[in-house]
Amino acid sequence: MQAATADEKKTALHLHFDAVSRKLMATVVPDPAAAALDVATLRAMIEAEGWGQLHYLEEMSIGLIASHNAGTACSLPIAEAIDASLHLEISPDAMEAWLTLTPAAGGKVVSVQNVLDLLAENNVAEGIDLPAIESALLAGQVERAVVARGRPPVHGEDGRLESLIPEVRDRRPRINFDGSTDYRDLGDIFVVHAGDWLMLRHPPGEGTPGRDLLGTVIAAEPGKAVMFASKLAGTQFDTDNPDLLVAAMTGQPVVVSGGMIVEPVYKVAQVSMASGNIDFDGSVVVAGDVCTGMKVRATGDIEVGGVVDMGTLDAGGNIVVKGGVLGALGRKTGEDCEVRCGGNFHAVYAQQAKVAAGDTIFIDDTAIQCELSAVNHVKVGGKKRGNIVGGSVQATYSIAAKVIGSPNRALTRCTIGVNPKLLQEAQELAKARDALETQLLEISKLLDFASKNAGRVQPNMVEKARVTAAQLSQQIAEKRAQQGALQQQLELAQGARVVAEQILYEGVEIHFGATRYKVSGEHAACAVANGVDGPELQALK
């Protein structure tokens, strides 16, 4: 025992460490002259004699203090040495090992070798993370820190189709996740000739196998082969390379689902009584105007170099009018005319026109007393004025113009909101993911039972379960990514706005589903969005 301190002499207490029980014993020898003992004094004595690192036994110490102050002899343990402890868990799929470390209290500490030995005892031979182990020991205390990771398989890349024509048009459905829209001028129709290279098919990758912590090889899934669609009009395969798609005729190349087609292009100077109506399987280029009462239908794109004056355009692809569109809305005429397209609509101006687009409507100058309807966006205003005056405008994500409404308070109705197809997709994805997670849970229970009951489950069944668990985890990750992408679209729809970059006039009504917002007064550079408490006006930054 160490020499007693000055403070200890004032007490009737003596301390000594019992190496057998690994406890610090305190013995009270009654002394009428001894000063009263309290917790602070007792803790100070323990620290002063070099036993401060021991685990303090609070309840025993309370009894000791009571006996000391009552002048009753006793001998009690008041602290003990505790060794550091390690606990290892292995995930059900054997891809992660988690270490829990309880620090020592005056007892033996653990070393890196102790952790390595524990991993070896649990048959962990792969993916040991030495820096993570050292970091855990440096911290002194950790709970379920990852100290070993299996190497997941790298699945092969899917085969892909590569377009070999940079100017090709793409008619596959698309959504801009950031809310922006590419309002580029589609320009003239690009033409290829027989024999021109169109698209190259790349084979899928084989992937790289993985390995779990126990050394079991996890097979990689080869990528999915991509196939050209069975019927790609206007094309053929190269005689020397079955993966190379080439043009079989002169026409417009268009990317479609499963490859590329070449559409014939019909060119006409003007659509009038002299040319008659046009109904063409392919794309149509009109150099001049589409005259009153005339109709143009095309399965591909329609381009008009002049003006559409109370004519009808119906395109499966995009429509570009390099002049303007004059419709019959509000006019005393028997003409029934409208413009419809499956892709984007682009014109310089529109007046009293009815326009419906499967993607985006872009009008460079003005839209006056029109009915505009687009699945995604409506944008009025490029390098020119950008006014929406009167009529109605409908879109899912955004309606934007430089000026909306007019000083004379012309009624201008804007309707914006969610595309119901997105909600249905989200529900179907959630249901599919739930089913996969239920399967993974059941397999995880089997693997957990097998790890706790060695020999009760056949090894081949355990191996099959691990492979299946890895596959399900991958599928769940894919579904999660799809849900994330879809959620972005839904959030964009929830954050849909009507934007007036310069002026928003009184007389404008904005509808968010069943909710209506009537603009009162004149507002500079603002947007109307659906807030927590309903539609609200926001200043543009």
Side-chain angles (χ1 to χ4, degrees):
M1 177 177 164
Q2 299 180 15
T5 63
D7 287 338
E8 186 181 345
K9 290 179 180 179
K10 296 178 183 180
T11 69
L13 189 64
H14 301 275
L15 303 179
H16 75 280
F17 184 76
D18 183 352
V20 176
S21 66
R22 305 180 73 197
K23 290 181 169 52
L24 180 64
M25 304 300 296
T27 301
V28 175
V29 179
D31 182 356
L37 182 66
D38 56 24
V39 172
T41 303
L42 178 59
R43 296 298 292 266
M45 287 181 64
I46 295 172
E47 289 284 346
E49 296 205 17
W51 306 114
Q53 75 275 21
L54 297 178
H55 175 63
Y56 181 66
L57 301 175
E58 186 173 359
E59 291 185 3
M60 300 300 289
S61 298
I62 292 173
L64 176 78
I65 292 171
S67 295
H68 178 279
N69 293 339
T72 304
C74 70
S75 181
L76 296 172
I78 58 171
E80 63 180 344
I82 297 178
D83 295 337
S85 65
L86 296 174
H87 176 67
L88 190 71
E89 294 178 72
I90 298 177
S91 63
D93 60 0
M95 292 299 287
E96 284 190 342
W98 304 307
L99 180 71
T100 296
L101 168 61
T102 302
K108 295 178 182 178
V109 297
V110 295
S111 65
V112 171
Q113 189 58 50
N114 294 141
V115 179
L116 294 178
D117 290 343
L118 181 61
L119 289 167
E121 290 170 11
N122 285 271
N123 299 317
V124 176
E126 299 284 339
I128 296 173
D129 189 343
L130 280 174
I133 294 173
E134 292 170 351
S135 177
L137 296 183
L138 185 62
Q141 181 174 357
V142 293
E143 184 173 350
R144 301 184 92 238
V146 178
V147 293
R149 288 183 176 87
R151 177 165 47 88
V154 178
H155 299 306
E157 292 186 357
D158 291 342
R160 60 189 177 89
L161 301 177
E162 178 191 6
S163 171
L164 303 178
I165 304 176
E167 299 178 62
V168 68
R169 292 193 180 175
D170 190 339
R171 290 214 190 105
R172 291 171 298 180
R174 64 191 181 278
I175 295 291
N176 295 332
F177 294 133
D178 62 357
S180 65
T181 307
D182 183 4
Y183 296 125
R184 57 191 165 83
D185 187 342
L186 297 177
D188 295 328
I189 286 177
F190 179 74
V191 174
V192 295
H193 303 281
D196 286 351
W197 291 6
L198 301 176
M199 186 167 275
L200 181 64
R201 178 174 59 185
H202 293 272
E206 292 297 322
T208 304
R211 191 179 293 270
D212 68 16
L213 299 178
L214 307 180
T216 303
V217 175
I218 304 173
E221 294 181 10
K224 297 177 182 178
V226 62
M227 303 299 292
F228 280 111
S230 58
K231 295 181 180 179
L232 296 172
T235 69
Q236 64 186 23
F237 293 104
D238 185 80
T239 54
D240 298 325
N241 184 358
D243 292 322
L244 178 62
L245 189 70
V246 300
M249 57 179 285
T250 297
Q252 177 192 13
V254 178
V255 174
V256 295
S257 180
M260 190 180 293
I261 61 173
V262 177
E263 294 179 335
V265 178
Y266 180 80
K267 296 185 178 181
V268 62
Q270 178 176 276
V271 180
S272 63
M273 294 296 292
S275 67
N277 294 328
I278 295 174
D279 190 337
F280 187 69
D281 288 339
S283 295
V284 174
V285 177
V286 180
D289 300 335
V290 176
C291 299
T292 301
M294 304 309 295
K295 298 179 180 180
V296 179
R297 188 198 71 84
T299 58
D301 299 338
I302 296 175
E303 289 189 3
V304 178
V307 174
V308 178
D309 184 3
M310 288 195 293
T312 294
L313 305 182
D314 188 349
N318 304 310
I319 291 178
V320 175
V321 181
K322 296 186 177 180
V325 177
L326 301 172
L329 295 174
R331 296 188 184 187
K332 294 181 179 179
T333 174
E335 298 296 339
D336 180 17
C337 55
E338 62 181 305
V339 176
R340 297 181 298 271
C341 63
N344 298 313
F345 170 81
H346 190 143
V348 174
Y349 65 89
Q351 182 173 333
Q352 294 172 278
K354 186 175 182 180
V355 181
D359 192 334
T360 296
I361 291 174
F362 176 70
I363 297 172
D364 191 41
D365 192 355
T366 56
I368 301 174
Q369 296 295 344
C370 294
E371 290 182 11
L372 308 178
S373 176
V375 170
N376 294 330
H377 308 273
V378 172
K379 169 70 175 176
V380 177
K383 296 180 181 179
K384 299 187 178 182
R385 287 176 292 178
N387 293 14
I388 296 177
V389 180
S392 65
V393 185
Q394 180 176 355
T396 301
Y397 298 109
S398 70
I399 297 171
K402 293 179 181 178
V403 177
I404 301 179
S406 65
N408 63 2
R409 303 179 183 178
L411 177 61
T412 306
R413 178 182 175 128
C414 298
T415 303
I416 196 161
V418 172
N419 184 339
K421 291 183 179 179
L422 295 181
L423 292 175
Q424 183 178 356
E425 267 190 79
Q427 291 169 356
E428 291 174 353
L429 269 175
K431 186 176 180 180
R433 179 180 163 187
D434 285 344
L436 291 171
E437 288 178 340
T438 299
Q439 292 179 51
L440 182 59
L441 178 61
E442 293 303 317
I443 291 175
S444 297
K445 289 178 180 178
L446 172 63
L447 290 172
D448 185 54
F449 176 82
S451 67
K452 294 178 179 177
N453 298 272
R456 297 282 299 277
V457 182
Q458 295 181 358
N460 62 336
M461 184 177 292
V462 174
E463 174 59 22
K464 184 178 179 180
R466 283 179 179 151
V467 172
T468 303
Q471 293 173 346
L472 287 171
S473 296
Q474 178 67 24
Q475 292 173 25
I476 290 169
E478 291 172 359
K479 294 294 182 187
R480 188 180 293 114
Q482 292 172 14
Q483 283 181 299
L486 195 58
Q487 186 60 34
Q488 284 184 301
Q489 296 179 47
L490 289 170
E491 288 173 0
L492 280 175
Q494 291 172 359
R497 301 193 305 166
V498 175
V499 179
E501 298 169 3
Q502 295 177 1
I503 302 174
L504 179 65
Y505 284 108
E506 185 170 351
V508 174
E509 288 186 1
I510 300 172
H511 295 254
F512 297 87
T515 306
R516 182 178 66 169
Y517 179 85
K518 296 184 70 173
V519 177
S520 177
E522 180 181 319
H523 304 273
C526 63
V528 178
N530 204 5
V532 177
D533 299 321
E536 58 185 22
L537 192 71
Q538 305 167 344
L540 293 182
K541 297 180 180 179

